[in-house]
Amino acid sequence: YVGGLFRGDLGVSLHTKQTVMGDLGRVIPASLVLVSIAMLVAAVVGIGMGVISARSQGRVADLLTKVIAILIVSMPVFWLAILLQVTFFSRLGWFPVAGSYDAGLDRSSPLYTVIGVPVVDSFLTGNWPVFRSCVRYLVLPVAALAAYPTGAVAMVTRGALLDNLGEEHVRMVRALGFPERSVLGRFALRPSLNPVVSLLALAFAYALTNSFIVESIFNLPGLGSYAMKSIETVDVPAILGVTLVVALIY
């Protein structure tokens, strides 16, 4: 088996009857797109929460932001995913609960495959009805996957920003009469993003492992669904292949 690794041979999957390398090549793009979108959401929302919290230190907005960050970091991803389904599908009916896009669109707006990921394929081919449907179907799984890194990014951004706001160079530019927005954005926030970038790199690998659960709950194709099916069928070659991929990403 080790000798095969050097030749790119991970064996043959017992439940798909295809090479594990070929299977991984088909399922990894979907997971990478899902995790990448979740990390983008986590970065934007988390940094925004951190800035609001730092600027409102000791006030209600600061306390509220910290409580929200602690709550979403503390929630297990499987519980949050089910909670989102119950709230936004079963009770409110705002978002669909499972799948990649509305299958009824296959007749009116057939999707042409480019990389095998519907949201990317529909965007690249200009299939906007399917693209809008894909976005709606991604809202809940992305929210579940982005929750933990969003809270972590918010807390790290808050701490780093407060540290930098107390630095001598920041006090100096304030004394020179720079606008507060410029002081915050140019002189305090930029150096505060260094630990955030490091955190996002670690969170990406963490989110990839969490995608196993999210993809199974929301019935999304990807590395997670492939891994779960491999475990259910005791497909040892496929399980080893998935394990190696995740280990390499970490």
Side-chain angles (χ1 to χ4, degrees):
Y1 182 82
V2 174
L5 291 179
F6 292 101
R7 301 191 302 271
D9 181 9
L10 299 179
V12 177
S13 170
L14 301 179
H15 76 279
T16 66
K17 309 302 180 185
Q18 304 293 324
T19 64
V20 173
M21 184 65 74
D23 285 343
L24 293 176
R26 285 189 293 272
V27 300
I28 286 177
S31 293
L32 291 180
V33 169
L34 175 63
V35 173
S36 298
I37 295 173
M39 288 300 98
L40 180 61
V41 171
V44 173
V45 178
I47 292 173
M49 289 175 61
V51 171
I52 292 172
S53 182
R55 293 188 65 181
S56 309
Q57 186 182 14
R59 297 199 290 270
V60 175
D62 181 27
L63 178 61
L64 184 61
T65 302
K66 288 191 291 185
V67 169
I68 293 174
I70 292 172
L71 284 176
I72 59 180
V73 165
S74 304
M75 287 183 185
V77 66
F78 70 88
W79 186 84
L80 178 59
I82 295 173
L83 181 64
L84 291 173
Q85 286 184 332
V86 171
T87 303
F88 293 100
F89 172 74
S90 300
R91 295 192 176 182
L92 299 176
W94 290 357
F95 300 105
V97 69
S100 299
Y101 64 96
D102 185 359
L105 293 173
D106 286 337
R107 293 183 178 180
S108 59
S109 303
L111 179 63
Y112 298 97
T113 301
V114 179
I115 66 170
V117 183
V119 66
V120 177
D121 292 345
S122 58
F123 179 78
L124 293 178
T125 58
N127 193 334
W128 304 122
V130 173
F131 179 75
R132 287 192 294 269
S133 179
C134 288
V135 171
R136 291 190 69 244
Y137 274 76
L138 281 174
V139 169
L140 296 185
V142 166
L145 205 54
Y148 176 86
T150 297
V153 167
M155 297 308 295
V156 170
T157 302
R158 177 185 183 276
L161 192 54
L162 288 176
D163 288 341
N164 282 294
L165 284 173
E167 292 290 332
E168 184 175 346
H169 71 280
V170 175
R171 294 198 301 268
M172 182 184 69
V173 295
R174 271 190 175 138
L176 292 174
F178 280 77
E180 186 63 25
R181 179 177 297 181
S182 179
V183 171
L184 185 68
R186 291 177 57 189
F187 300 101
L189 183 58
R190 285 185 182 179
S192 301
L193 294 180
N194 292 331
V196 174
V197 172
S198 301
L199 174 63
L200 285 173
L202 292 173
F204 185 92
Y206 180 80
L208 185 63
T209 57
N210 275 341
S211 71
F212 290 18
I213 302 172
V214 172
E215 288 176 0
S216 298
I217 293 175
F218 289 98
N219 192 28
L220 294 172
L223 186 63
S225 297
Y226 180 74
M228 297 303 292
K229 290 177 183 177
S230 301
I231 293 171
E232 291 172 0
T233 57
V234 197
D235 189 345
V236 176
I239 294 171
L240 289 174
V242 171
T243 304
L244 286 172
V245 169
V246 174
L248 287 173
I249 292 176
Y250 262 109

